[in-house]
Amino acid sequence: MSWFIERGIGETRAIRLEGGEIAEARLDWGEDLATGLVTDARLVSRRKGASRGVAEFPGGSQALVDRLPAAASEGGTIRLEVLRPALAERGRNKLARARATDAPTQPAPTLAERLSAEDHDVANVARFPDGDWNALVADAFSG
C-alpha cells in the first residue's frame, strides 16, 4: 500500500489513493509532545503514594504520567515516553499521556517513519497527485 507524503507549513499530510480517490489520510501537526518521543522531564505534581502525576517537558508542555516509579518525587527529573499527544475536545483540553521508561532519549518518529514501520511504501512529493485534499478536510470539519 503506497502513501504520498506532502510537507506543508506547520503540518505534514499523508494520503493513500484507491482509484484516484483518497482512501485514507493522516495529518501530523508537529506537536511538541508527539507519540514516541523519549526525553527527560520534570515531575511537577504527584500525590503522596499515587502512581500518576504531571510532568513538564523542556519546551513547557505538560503530560499526565502513568506508572510512576515509587522513587520519583516532585521537582525531580524522570525519563518519559510520550504515548499520546495532547487532545482538544469540545469544552476541554486533555494533556498528553506519558509513562516512565529506561529507554534512551529519541525524537518522535516522523509521519513517514511511522507509516514505514507499518510496512507501507512511502513517497515524498512536493504536491499530492490526484485526490481532493480540500474536500477531505471540509468533510472532516463538517462531521
Side-chain angles (χ1 to χ4, degrees):
M1 193 176 330
S2 291
W3 285 78
F4 297 98
I5 305 284
E6 178 185 80
R7 286 178 175 71
I9 298 170
E11 66 184 20
T12 301
R13 300 174 285 273
I15 60 170
R16 184 179 64 78
L17 300 175
E18 281 183 9
E21 301 279 324
I22 297 175
E24 289 183 77
R26 296 191 191 177
L27 183 62
D28 185 345
W29 282 319
E31 299 95 350
D32 287 343
L33 300 183
T35 303
L37 170 70
V38 178
T39 192
D40 294 332
R42 184 175 58 88
L43 189 58
V44 294
S45 70
R46 177 187 194 172
R47 288 197 173 123
K48 186 173 183 169
S51 63
R52 298 176 85 181
V54 175
E56 185 173 280
F57 288 77
S61 296
Q62 293 187 338
L64 179 63
V65 182
D66 293 319
R67 300 185 198 165
L68 282 168
S73 61
E74 284 187 17
T77 300
I78 185 169
R79 177 142 314 151
L80 299 174
E81 176 184 1
V82 176
L83 305 174
R84 175 185 55 71
L87 298 174
E89 291 185 342
R90 184 173 293 160
R92 72 178 187 151
N93 292 326
K94 293 173 108 176
L95 291 177
R97 291 198 51 202
R99 72 170 164 222
T101 185
D102 292 327
T105 61
Q106 68 178 24
T110 65
L111 181 55
E113 290 168 339
R114 291 193 309 268
L115 287 166
S116 292
E118 295 171 15
D119 291 328
H120 299 297
D121 294 324
V122 176
N124 289 300
V125 296
R127 189 170 182 89
F128 282 144
D130 298 329
D132 193 347
W133 178 260
N134 293 332
L136 176 75
V137 171
D139 286 347
F141 279 107
S142 69

